[in-house]
Amino acid sequence: MPDDEDITGDIPRTGKLREKLVEAKQGWARDGRLLTGTTATPETARLPPGQRLVPDFPVLDLGVQPDVSAEKYRLRVEGLVAAPLRLTLAEFHALPQASRTNDIHCVTQWSRYDNAWDGVPVPDLLALARPKDEARFVALTSYDGYTTNLAIEDFARPENLLAHAWAGAPLERQHGGPLRLVVPHLYFWKSPKWLTRIELLREDRPGFWEVRGYHNRGDPWMEQRYG
Ligand SMILES: Nc1nc2c(c(=O)[nH]1)N[C@H]1C(S)=C(S)[C@@H](COP(=O)(O)O)O[C@H]1N2
Ligand SMILES: [Mo]
């Protein structure tokens, strides 16, 4: 079982929780904002339904950005695994590295093409931790207290990266540095910044947005914004 230790407790944070933004986004879910009622596939349209292409890289979070030092940072893989991991940042950087380039799609409508990431592919990390057969879901926890959830098939895809660099430079803190997950086939709220804990579970555990009216899976091609 996971311990109840407050893993984010001694990490300095800047900013204030943007309660108004959280309320507004909950309202959008209630109202079905931005829904076009159409679906597509990545083969037929690069831009998913209802999305708008942006040239810049917006910053979206709860307003609280943890300032986690390289010394304090830990990446934990726990729960239904044969070999739990608790990696320092140096240990993480010593793992075999890979690069991926992909498009990102935020549920608030913006999409950004051709993001080049460096880091460790999720299947490689899972191979070290060795999930048990009963593991069906993952719960992800970040240093700002944010949580999200994925089915193990959505988590273990080869294009998914635990990323520490973007466009050839260390990932900026505002975009989730020192380490974030990138799951490009789902809306970007499924890609936690400042990731610290990956917990493998038998039962699903909906995260921050999933309990506030957002879809449990979040496929942009199926326009799974709310649910
Ligand atoms: N830890 C954490 N991760 C998070 C969030 C957050 O609030 N906290 N917001 C999510 C949302 S809604 C989006 S769209 C993306 C935004 O990533 P960016 O700020 O790098 O564009 O991060 C996701 N990951
Ligand atoms: Mo988002």
Side-chain angles (χ1 to χ4, degrees), residues 17 21 25 57-66 104-108 110 112 117 140-148 166 171-177 179-181 187-195 208-209 214:
L17 178 67
L21 175 92
K25 283 179 80 171
F57 191 176
V59 173
L60 261 97
D61 49 53
L62 304 176
V64 180
Q65 297 190 344
I104 56 190
H105 308 293
C106 170
V107 73
T108 62
W110 59 271
R112 189 181 194 289
W117 309 95
L140 305 163
T141 307
S142 298
Y143 277 111
D144 60 343
Y146 183 80
T147 55
T148 191
W166 176 82
L171 189 58
E172 287 177 80
R173 177 155 69 102
Q174 61 177 353
H175 288 300
L179 184 56
R180 81 176 300 163
L181 177 64
Y187 283 120
F188 210 32
W189 91 77
K190 294 288 189 179
S191 294
K193 310 199 277 191
W194 317 294
L195 178 64
F208 185 89
W209 288 118
Y214 285 76

Side-chain angles (χ1 to χ4, degrees), residues 27-39 48-51 107-109 187 189 213-215 219-227:
W28 300 348
R30 277 194 301 273
D31 301 344
R33 184 179 175 267
L34 303 177
L35 288 175
T36 67
T38 59
T39 62
Q51 293 297 108
V107 73
T108 62
Q109 200 175 27
Y187 283 120
W189 91 77
Y214 285 76
H215 198 279
D219 181 341
W221 306 100
M222 304 296 292
E223 218 178 27
Q224 292 173 342
R225 297 177 191 275
Y226 318 115

Side-chain angles (χ1 to χ4, degrees), residues 108-183:
T108 62
Q109 200 175 27
W110 59 271
S111 293
R112 189 181 194 289
Y113 288 166
D114 297 321
N115 297 277
W117 309 95
D118 303 302
V120 174
V122 170
D124 296 357
L125 189 78
L126 285 178
L128 295 174
R130 291 188 279 125
K132 298 181 179 174
D133 289 344
E134 321 83 273
R136 286 278 159 273
F137 300 94
V138 293
L140 305 163
T141 307
S142 298
Y143 277 111
D144 60 343
Y146 183 80
T147 55
T148 191
N149 58 309
L150 293 166
I152 199 155
E153 311 82 65
D154 281 322
F155 181 58
R157 288 166 63 131
E159 72 267 26
N160 296 351
L161 210 62
L162 294 143
H164 58 73
W166 176 82
L171 189 58
E172 287 177 80
R173 177 155 69 102
Q174 61 177 353
H175 288 300
L179 184 56
R180 81 176 300 163
L181 177 64
V182 179
V183 178

Side-chain angles (χ1 to χ4, degrees), residues 93-108:
H93 279 264
L95 298 176
Q97 301 289 308
S99 303
R100 301 276 186 270
T101 297
N102 45 50
D103 300 345
I104 56 190
H105 308 293
C106 170
V107 73
T108 62

